[in-house]
Amino acid sequence: MRPPSLLKQEFLKKWIMGLQRCSSTKKNMNILERKKAIKLSADVAMASSRNGTTCWSRALIANASKDGNDKHLVEQILGPESERLIVKKVSIGALVCNKRIRSKKILKRSCGIRRTRKCVPQVALASSIAKWLVRKRTQVLKSLIPGGEFMNEVCLIKETLDYIISLRAQVDVMRSLASASEQVNHS
Amino acid sequence: MEPNAGTTEARSNRTPSEGDEVAALESLQFTDEIHRLISAPPTDNASSFTALLELRAPQAIQLLHSPESAKLIAAPAPNVEDFKGSFHFPSNNGLIERAARFSVVSAEGNNNNNKSNSPETTSNNSSANLLKAVKSEPAETESSQPLVSVPTVEKRSIKRKDREKKVKGSTKKRKTAAYESSEDAEKLPYVHVRARRGQATDSHSLAERARREKINARMKLLQELVPGCNKISGTALVLDEIINHVQSLQRQVEFLSMRLAAVNPRIDFNLDSIFTAESGSLMESNFPSMVMPLMWPEVQVNGSRQQYQQQWHFDALQQPARGREEVCNNYITPENSLLSYDSSANSATLHSNQLKMEL
């Protein structure tokens, strides 16, 4: 695990580069477009700092590349060669994950008939209530983490750990840049 | 000598079914080997166990049962003789093992807390070391720390003892248990499984239990990472806190990007201008320390902005005359400093470099 300052430096460098490429392509963006571009380049920079080692980073870049508008931005930010590597991994991962999701859905549908009675927790057992609660929370967590629906529990927790650390670094850098820019503008 | 004599007696008392003479003979033969093995360095537990396992399987279990317990367990001798008293051990050793593991983890975290200077990076450092602890978890048992090795050895002996208790019967079952134990000894870096009394020992439940323990270990790390989760017990509530934390972080990213979009009409942030402006709060934050090493790459990146020079060229000529009191043109200041950086190449770079050195 790299020290956080190195992580922040790398993130900042990639982010600024991405922003400059964004601004070179489009002039006169309104505030919402700007905000989207800033957020997108920040997220992609954060994800690319992981170099495809974590699942959430690959999923994030995949989601960003799916949207046609942002795809070329993502490509520019990542750089040509690394983008190919990540996209390859992402496409393979996406294929596998889609298959997994489809098979899971089929399973759920087939078992759904049996399960409809049990979806409400029975009051009798405290342990079953606890399990149901944990299941609900896990589903929410899966929806939060990019690419979380494809992971089993073990991977999910590991990815959450990494994601929280990256998000914290991202927030720190963005906050300091924002306050510094505001200082410059108000002084 | 005395505990070994006691164990041999106990062993011979406890296994009447095997034939007293045979058992006594075997036990006498193996005491010598036990002496040799016990005199081996206690830290090198893995090799001593495999050495034990080279012996024939059923006798290996008997050996493991009494001498290891006599050597390692601080409980007094009656526990060795009292067969049934040993069922207290799993709970004690479970606590010992968990405490050892988390003391290792927290010790690493504490060490780095003491070492690091800035308070805000301590959490990141401890989290980084916690992650290191997670990744080195497979190698935990091989570490030379006595704190960790003793509980794991105890745990191993307890595991075998429990298995032996359940398979007291035919030799065939004993052999399978021994094979399981030998397999686990080889895979010990990866499988930390405790077979409690009354629980099944087949491979499925073992694997499931190993998975459960992995998940619980990672949940502990998450608890320590997310602030305010330490005092909460119960998976659902901890997950609640984690979800709240992730959501708040994501919302913060949104707000900050909105803020940044509002600050500049153009979204290229010129770090050079941020440095040239004199602001006290910048010095306090660690922003300069982060950004200072990035100055040099900026030189190459700014070269891509040549195309915008022509429009602002006249402003660039005026910029050195303005000085820093000029506040009104928010739009132009970042651009001008950027372009003066580009246009008047050498002198501007020298000047800006001097400013950076000062900062």
Side-chain angles (χ1 to χ4, degrees), chain A residues 1 4 8-9 12-13 15-17 19-20 22-24 27 29 31-32 34-35 37-39 43 133-134 137-138 140-141 144 153-154 157-158 160-161 163-165 167-168 170-171 173-187, chain B residues 124 127-128 131 212 215 218-219 222 225-227 235-236 239-240 242-243 245-247 249-250 252-254 256-269 271 274 277 279 281-282 287 289-291 293-294 298 301-302 308 311 327 330:
Chain A
M1 180 71 183
K8 287 181 186 174
Q9 278 176 23
L12 184 63
K13 195 173 21 169
W15 185 32
I16 298 287
M17 273 168 52
L19 282 178
Q20 283 171 343
C22 285
S23 65
S24 63
K27 294 190 221 178
M29 294 188 262
I31 190 165
L32 286 174
R34 266 181 277 148
K35 176 223 168 194
I38 288 172
K39 182 163 185 294
D43 288 340
L133 282 174
V134 169
R137 305 288 194 274
T138 329
V140 175
L141 191 62
L144 279 180
E153 273 190 30
V154 183
I157 295 180
K158 203 169 81 167
T160 314
L161 266 174
Y163 188 58
I164 286 178
I165 291 173
L167 270 181
R168 268 196 201 161
Q170 189 177 349
V171 164
V173 171
M174 288 175 85
R175 189 181 293 145
S176 46
L177 183 62
S179 55
S181 310
E182 282 168 1
Q183 290 269 341
V184 167
N185 283 340
H186 292 311
S187 63
Chain B
N124 284 334
S127 63
L131 274 178
R212 266 292 126 196
I215 289 179
R218 301 238 168 100
M219 286 288 293
L222 262 179
L225 187 64
V226 174
T235 321
L239 279 175
D240 245 352
I242 293 168
I243 287 171
H245 192 61
V246 170
Q247 275 175 341
L249 281 174
Q250 284 176 341
Q252 277 180 31
V253 168
E254 295 263 344
L256 280 170
S257 58
M258 195 59 160
R259 205 170 128 192
L260 279 166
V263 154
N264 283 29
R266 303 191 54 96
I267 63 169
D268 43 355
F269 293 92
L271 300 170
I274 293 171
S279 50
S281 66
L282 270 181
F287 188 78
S289 62
M290 268 195 288
V291 181
L294 297 178
E298 291 295 316
V301 175
N302 289 334
Y308 296 112
Q311 301 173 24
V327 187
N330 292 331

Side-chain angles (χ1 to χ4, degrees), chain B residues 58-215:
Chain B
Q59 293 117 1
I61 295 179
Q62 287 182 358
L63 288 175
L64 288 168
H65 177 68
S66 34
E68 293 303 326
S69 58
K71 177 175 69 162
L72 296 167
I73 293 170
N79 275 330
V80 173
E81 291 152 17
D82 183 10
F83 203 81
K84 290 169 195 163
S86 55
F87 78 87
H88 290 302
F89 290 154
S91 53
N92 291 338
N93 283 300
L95 290 172
I96 291 172
E97 187 217 8
R98 290 222 174 103
R101 246 194 235 166
F102 298 132
S103 63
V104 169
V105 168
S106 60
E108 289 181 3
N110 283 336
N111 284 337
N112 283 302
N113 279 338
N114 292 333
K115 283 179 197 166
S116 67
N117 295 326
S118 56
E120 63 177 290
T121 54
T122 45
S123 62
N124 284 334
N125 277 336
S126 59
S127 63
N129 287 313
L130 290 169
L131 274 178
K132 259 190 252 167
V134 168
K135 281 170 185 142
S136 64
E137 198 184 32
E140 217 181 343
T141 53
E142 291 156 3
S143 70
S144 58
Q145 293 178 17
L147 186 65
V148 179
S149 65
V150 171
T152 53
V153 167
E154 286 183 9
K155 171 201 66 154
R156 275 183 239 159
S157 65
I158 299 308
K159 185 171 56 172
R160 293 203 179 90
K161 221 195 301 181
D162 288 342
R163 247 185 238 122
E164 190 206 6
K165 263 185 280 175
K166 288 172 201 81
V167 298
K168 54 180 171 185
S170 65
T171 51
K172 186 184 169 191
K173 275 192 188 169
R174 210 176 291 143
K175 271 184 193 161
T176 55
Y179 289 146
E180 276 185 280
S181 61
S182 64
E183 283 175 65
D184 281 337
E186 288 154 21
K187 293 184 202 165
L188 263 165
Y190 302 98
V191 176
H192 298 275
V193 175
R194 175 177 318 280
R196 289 196 183 85
R197 181 185 170 94
Q199 286 187 354
T201 53
D202 57 329
S203 58
H204 289 294
S205 45
L206 276 178
E208 202 182 296
R209 213 174 306 126
R211 188 175 156 266
R212 266 292 126 196
E213 293 205 0
K214 244 203 273 185
I215 289 179

